[in-house]
Amino acid sequence: MSLSVPSAPGVKSARTRGASAIDFKSATTGVAAKAMRNELNKMVAEVKDPVQRRVFDLEMQSFFSLFNRYLVEKAKHEVIDWDKIQPLAPELVPSYSSLPETNDTSILEKLVVLKLNGGLGTTMGLSGSPKSAIEVRDGMTFLDLSVRQIEHLNEVNKTNVPFILMNSFNTDDETQRIIQKYANHNIQILTFNQSRYPRVGKESLLPVPRSATSDKSQWYPPGHGDIFDAIGNSGLLDKLLEAGKKYMFVSNVDNLGADVDLKILKHLVDSQCEFLAELTDKTKADVKGGTLINYEGTVRLLEIAQVPSEHVEDFKSIRKFKYFNTNSIYIDLEALKRVMDTEGMELDIIINNKIADDGTPVIQLETAMGAAIKHFRNAHGINVPRSRFLPVKACSDLLLITSDLYSLEHGKLVMNPQRMFAQTPVVKLGDTFKKIRDFNKRFRTVPNILELDHLTVSGDVWFGRNITLRGTVIIVANEGSRIDLPDGSILENKLVSGNVSIIDH
């Protein structure tokens, strides 16, 4: 199927006298869209295998739809009207603690669990490997822990909840190799790939790759908002519905707190909610996180990238926006099928500016999964405890989840009951701890942090064995200095500076 440019109303001939700036922009938009369409059609036509051509064609159609919307919105210069933004009414964010207890496991027969597995562990020093392959606790990876959670759920409830991984072209090969080890486990694992979109030249507005087989670096996975197109295009959505599945729980593979919870599932059914988003209380560490808002009577996701610069501080306010989006959602699959077959998904576009390997400025058009909430009936949020949001984005997070703050129970991290505060400590490790390899070298063993409130470490710092950190601890090795903390050290409310003097803080 060839791609076509949706007709743009109000686009006048370039020869029309007195054409306004907006007419010029609209005409330019039409030209750019036509040029992009021609390039994409050329790439599709060159794919010889009919099955591969069909898959690639569907991806390019989805990409072209997104690109065309980007051009139209850019021409109109539409921005969000800050005065129309309101926090959600309390009834649209019920508290997890207000949900009734339940032992009803019948819903599990209709449930599937999906983990977003498209990211690499690059920021933590594992280039080329899926982030889910990072060892996080007791020799187990994110993937191991997720599999253990579902396996335990199936064993205890004598059910068969399928486990789905949405991979990207960056993670699929390695993930397929890894999941072979679960062949004899009590779990059904399904996989599909999110789309592969072409990077776009910022100046040319043309695709960077010239063919479907162009180098990997010229393509990108277009954010988790692509889940809806990808699961539909793969045929998996129809297969799940045919198998009698109705609900899908989706979360990031690195969120070790996002497990199946019967109370939330019962609320999903009882409230006839088609899309439910887990939110948690915002802290100073989360002020940049997206949140749900009321926008002209509709529940919408608001990301910091959409906020006009003069209102960024308002957006970060904990008073106005109390919660942030954890990216754990529940979707009614029948409703998803209805939306995709009728109106389709028009998710807010996130423009990600990048520099290609050859120095050329490029753009990546991405979308966020939570933005789909506006398309569903009875959609709302639920305020969950922080224990359901335990992401690992950096080695600072790794320190927390490998410490004595948590224990492992059937693949789930459980807070140590001896921890006196509900909040986890704030941990800020400097650049010398950025990569996992360095993290493992600099901590002979992970410190005891049960009574820690805040830890900041900067510079060339090395930790011995069995160190205990309590209260607020700040350790700064100035440039050219090295700090070695001896085995068995106990630091409580201390500032350790570059000359290794220890003073009360």
Side-chain angles (χ1 to χ4, degrees), residues 477-498:
N478 298 326
E479 199 165 334
S481 303
R482 168 175 168 146
I483 294 177
D484 289 273
L485 298 173
D487 295 354
S489 301
I490 298 175
L491 302 181
E492 183 168 0
N493 294 323
K494 296 291 187 216
L495 168 62
V496 182
S497 65

Side-chain angles (χ1 to χ4, degrees), residues 137 400 403-407 414-416 419 424-425 449-450:
R137 182 97 195 199
L400 291 172
S403 73
D404 56 345
L405 274 182
Y406 296 100
S407 58
V414 179
M415 177 71 83
N416 190 326
R419 170 78 175 168
T424 53
I449 60 172
L450 204 54

Side-chain angles (χ1 to χ4, degrees), residues 124-379:
M124 294 170 74
L126 284 184
S127 56
S129 292
K131 190 173 185 184
S132 57
I134 293 174
E135 280 192 14
V136 286
R137 182 97 195 199
D138 301 349
M140 298 178 80
T141 65
F142 287 113
L143 210 47
D144 292 334
L145 295 174
S146 296
V147 167
R148 184 70 198 104
Q149 284 181 17
I150 302 297
E151 199 174 29
H152 178 68
L153 180 78
N154 288 339
E155 285 167 2
V156 169
N157 298 289
K158 296 181 172 49
T159 187
N160 183 24
V161 174
F163 180 54
I164 305 172
L165 292 168
M166 182 172 85
N167 301 331
S168 69
F169 64 88
N170 286 322
T171 63
D172 187 55
D173 287 349
E174 183 70 7
T175 300
Q176 297 299 345
R177 192 181 65 76
I178 291 168
I179 62 177
Q180 290 175 19
K181 70 178 179 180
Y182 308 123
N184 297 322
H185 289 237
N186 177 28
I187 189 168
Q188 179 188 10
I189 301 179
L190 305 168
T191 67
F192 69 101
N193 273 16
Q194 69 181 111
S195 305
R196 184 182 68 137
Y197 283 2
R199 284 178 148 188
V200 177
K202 193 169 184 176
E203 300 302 324
S204 68
L205 292 180
L206 291 172
V208 173
R210 304 306 296 270
S211 81
T213 55
S214 290
D215 188 72
K216 239 184 192 183
S217 64
Q218 299 179 7
W219 305 84
Y220 70 98
H224 39 66
D226 176 59
I227 183 174
F228 309 110
D229 276 333
I231 199 169
N233 290 344
S234 69
L236 184 56
L237 176 57
D238 288 336
K239 285 178 186 169
L240 293 174
L241 289 168
E242 285 165 16
K245 303 302 179 184
K246 182 169 169 62
Y247 302 105
M248 182 165 71
F249 172 40
V250 185
S251 62
N252 294 337
V253 76
D254 69 347
N255 181 1
L256 294 172
D259 67 336
V260 173
D261 186 289
L262 289 175
K263 280 171 58 169
I264 299 177
L265 291 174
K266 182 170 171 48
H267 172 76
L268 183 71
V269 176
D270 291 350
S271 62
Q272 296 183 308
C273 171
E274 293 183 347
F275 190 110
L276 183 66
E278 288 193 25
L279 312 176
T280 196
D281 290 348
K282 193 190 275 190
T283 68
K284 287 181 179 177
D286 317 303
V287 291
K288 293 183 179 179
T291 190
L292 294 186
I293 57 167
N294 177 339
Y295 192 75
E296 298 184 307
T298 305
V299 179
R300 299 273 293 269
L301 175 70
L302 179 65
E303 298 277 11
I304 195 166
Q306 298 167 276
V307 177
S309 55
E310 65 271 23
H311 292 293
V312 166
E313 290 311 309
D314 294 344
F315 175 80
K316 291 179 179 178
S317 164
I318 294 174
R319 282 193 201 90
K320 184 164 185 177
F321 301 110
K322 298 177 186 174
Y323 320 109
F324 75 98
N325 175 32
T326 66
N327 216 40
S328 296
I329 65 165
Y330 304 77
I331 305 172
D332 182 317
L333 292 174
E334 292 169 6
L336 175 58
K337 176 73 173 166
R338 181 195 74 233
V339 170
M340 296 305 286
D341 285 352
T342 53
E343 60 196 277
M345 291 280 181
E346 286 219 347
L347 307 183
D348 299 320
I349 299 170
I350 300 163
I351 302 159
N352 195 347
N353 290 291
K354 297 274 189 179
I355 301 293
D357 292 343
D358 64 358
T360 308
V362 296
I363 54 173
Q364 298 181 178
L365 302 178
E366 302 175 8
T367 55
M369 176 174 73
I373 195 166
K374 64 184 177 184
H375 288 286
F376 293 89
R377 298 166 189 162
N378 297 326

Side-chain angles (χ1 to χ4, degrees), residues 19-47:
S20 67
I22 190 68
D23 290 331
F24 174 76
K25 282 182 179 175
S26 298
T28 307
T29 296
V31 170
K34 189 174 182 180
M36 174 63 78
R37 181 202 63 193
N38 291 339
E39 290 295 316
L40 296 177
N41 282 343
K42 264 190 243 171
M43 287 199 281
V44 170
E46 287 169 6
V47 178

